[in-house]
Amino acid sequence: MKFEVTILGSSSATPIYNRNPTSQALNINDHWYLIDCGEGTQQQMLRFDIKASRIDHIFISHLHGDHYLGLVGLLSSLHLNGRIKTLHIYCPVHLKEIIDLQLKYSETTLQFPVDYKFTNVDKAEVIVDNEDIIIETIPLDHRIECTGFIFRQKKRLRKLIKEKLEEIGVPIEYYTAIKKGKDYTDTRGKIYKNDTLTIDSEQPKTYAYCSDTLVNEAYFGQISNTTLLYHEATFLHNMLDRAKETHHTTALQAAEVAIKTNAQNLLIGHFSARYKKLDELLEEAQSIFPATELAIEGKTFVI
């Protein structure tokens, strides 16, 4: 099952040094999900060959402009390009008012439905549950209401050992039941145990997206044991006072979160415009959590 994330934007408040504001595209079994939509997201999607028409779900963490100002442009382009299928947007309640106002004064009526699901910062909620994935909100601690999102793969059915099934002559109509863990009994009454006919599927993986936030142990339990943890790391730790003032996190703190929550891998992003080069941020995080990488734009991370 494909489960990977492509970084479209990794800057914080402003686009600078060829870095764009926050956005990520998540590919789950060839179904595409967009996480945040900062200014320039459309251009980044074109640049990295991600088709906007394939995105059916968009997640907006909060209403600071670097996380949503690209959205109305994206909606307009989808409209102009003839989209008719429903687009699902998971977002703070006031985003709908913002979008409606811009559409109103441009006298634009979208030719496709937009289904808004409003996020709740008071508690974690399941917002998507389909055959591939369960997606939950993560209440965070930012200057305004903000949620992250956690994507949990569902366990796949067992994999058939087709050579074995063909060897003993198992009819095809039994395959689904065997995938689900059933034993097989042939016409002579001989029982073949399921573990001789199948192998277990891969263990489900998780991707946690922690947008702008102060470090707060309130969300640690929810993101524990993630395969890949994305955590904002706006500043170096020598800027801790500034991080606290603006309700952000340092690279060292992001690495501490990864350790405390037992993450397998850490991805850091949302870099301040004060850093032209990002080596220091990476080195600071890796000093205590070596399995850290930078959210470099255009790079795809397999989860």
Side-chain angles (χ1 to χ4, degrees), residues 141 214-223 257 260-261:
D141 186 358
L214 284 170
V215 173
N216 187 327
E217 292 190 0
Y219 62 86
F220 284 13
Q222 191 181 3
I223 66 170
V257 172
K260 290 177 180 177
T261 61

Side-chain angles (χ1 to χ4, degrees), residues 156-215:
R156 309 294 281 182
L157 297 178
R158 295 182 66 83
K159 297 179 181 179
L160 301 176
I161 306 173
K162 289 191 175 180
E163 298 83 0
K164 181 69 174 178
L165 298 178
E166 291 169 357
E167 177 187 329
I168 63 179
V170 178
I172 291 176
E173 57 263 29
Y174 287 86
Y175 282 15
T176 299
I178 294 170
K179 283 182 178 181
K180 293 179 179 179
K182 299 291 186 181
D183 298 333
Y184 172 68
T185 304
D186 68 14
T187 55
R188 300 184 303 275
K190 183 176 180 179
I191 298 173
Y192 294 85
K193 289 294 187 181
N194 187 270
D195 59 8
T196 68
L197 305 175
T198 65
I199 57 176
D200 198 10
S201 59
E202 294 180 359
Q203 288 301 306
K205 298 176 182 178
T206 56
Y207 178 57
Y209 174 85
C210 292
S211 183
D212 301 15
T213 187
L214 284 170
V215 173

Side-chain angles (χ1 to χ4, degrees), residues 48-296:
F48 302 124
D49 196 28
I50 294 171
K51 293 180 172 58
S53 61
R54 299 188 65 185
I55 292 173
D56 293 331
H57 302 267
I58 298 177
F59 304 85
I60 303 297
S61 60
H62 65 294
L63 295 183
H64 281 154
D66 54 318
H67 293 260
Y68 82 90
L69 283 179
L71 183 57
V72 70
L74 177 59
L75 296 178
S76 297
S77 293
L78 292 172
H79 165 74
L80 292 171
N81 289 330
R83 184 187 180 100
I84 58 173
K85 61 180 176 177
T86 300
L87 181 67
H88 304 273
I89 301 180
Y90 309 85
C91 60
V93 64
H94 296 299
L95 181 62
K96 183 179 187 301
E97 178 185 353
I98 294 169
I99 297 299
D100 286 348
L101 189 66
Q102 294 186 73
L103 295 175
K104 175 182 177 181
Y105 286 107
S106 66
E107 298 186 5
T108 300
T109 301
L110 298 178
Q111 298 303 303
F112 58 91
V114 177
D115 175 34
Y116 289 94
K117 167 72 174 179
F118 300 126
T119 49
N120 182 353
V121 296
D122 295 324
K123 63 179 181 178
E125 294 181 325
V126 173
I127 53 175
V128 175
D129 186 347
N130 60 36
E131 63 182 7
D132 294 323
I133 202 82
I134 295 175
I135 306 171
E136 304 167 14
T137 55
I138 308 170
L140 297 173
D141 186 358
H142 193 40
R143 190 167 59 81
I144 63 173
E145 292 186 350
C146 182
T147 63
F149 304 96
I150 187 162
F151 301 77
R152 304 184 191 275
Q153 265 186 333
K154 286 189 173 179
K155 179 74 170 173
R156 309 294 281 182
L157 297 178
R158 295 182 66 83
K159 297 179 181 179
L160 301 176
I161 306 173
K162 289 191 175 180
E163 298 83 0
K164 181 69 174 178
L165 298 178
E166 291 169 357
E167 177 187 329
I168 63 179
V170 178
I172 291 176
E173 57 263 29
Y174 287 86
Y175 282 15
T176 299
I178 294 170
K179 283 182 178 181
K180 293 179 179 179
K182 299 291 186 181
D183 298 333
Y184 172 68
T185 304
D186 68 14
T187 55
R188 300 184 303 275
K190 183 176 180 179
I191 298 173
Y192 294 85
K193 289 294 187 181
N194 187 270
D195 59 8
T196 68
L197 305 175
T198 65
I199 57 176
D200 198 10
S201 59
E202 294 180 359
Q203 288 301 306
K205 298 176 182 178
T206 56
Y207 178 57
Y209 174 85
C210 292
S211 183
D212 301 15
T213 187
L214 284 170
V215 173
N216 187 327
E217 292 190 0
Y219 62 86
F220 284 13
Q222 191 181 3
I223 66 170
S224 63
N225 301 306
T226 53
T227 309
L228 178 60
L229 168 64
Y230 169 84
H231 202 287
E232 73 120 299
T234 307
F235 300 104
L236 287 169
H237 204 65
N238 61 11
M239 298 289 294
L240 179 59
D241 289 344
R242 179 63 176 161
K244 290 179 178 178
E245 178 186 352
T246 56
H247 283 241
H248 284 298
T249 302
T250 70
L252 186 68
Q253 286 179 311
E256 289 172 343
V257 172
I259 292 170
K260 290 177 180 177
T261 61
N262 197 36
Q264 292 182 28
N265 302 280
L266 173 65
L267 189 58
I268 57 173
H270 199 263
F271 309 117
S272 169
R274 70 182 61 245
Y275 304 113
K276 187 170 185 178
K277 296 184 178 180
L278 304 174
D279 296 350
E280 289 179 288
L281 291 151
L282 180 61
E283 290 168 4
E284 182 171 277
Q286 286 183 335
S287 70
I288 63 168
F289 192 80
T292 303
E293 294 192 65
L294 296 170
I296 298 297

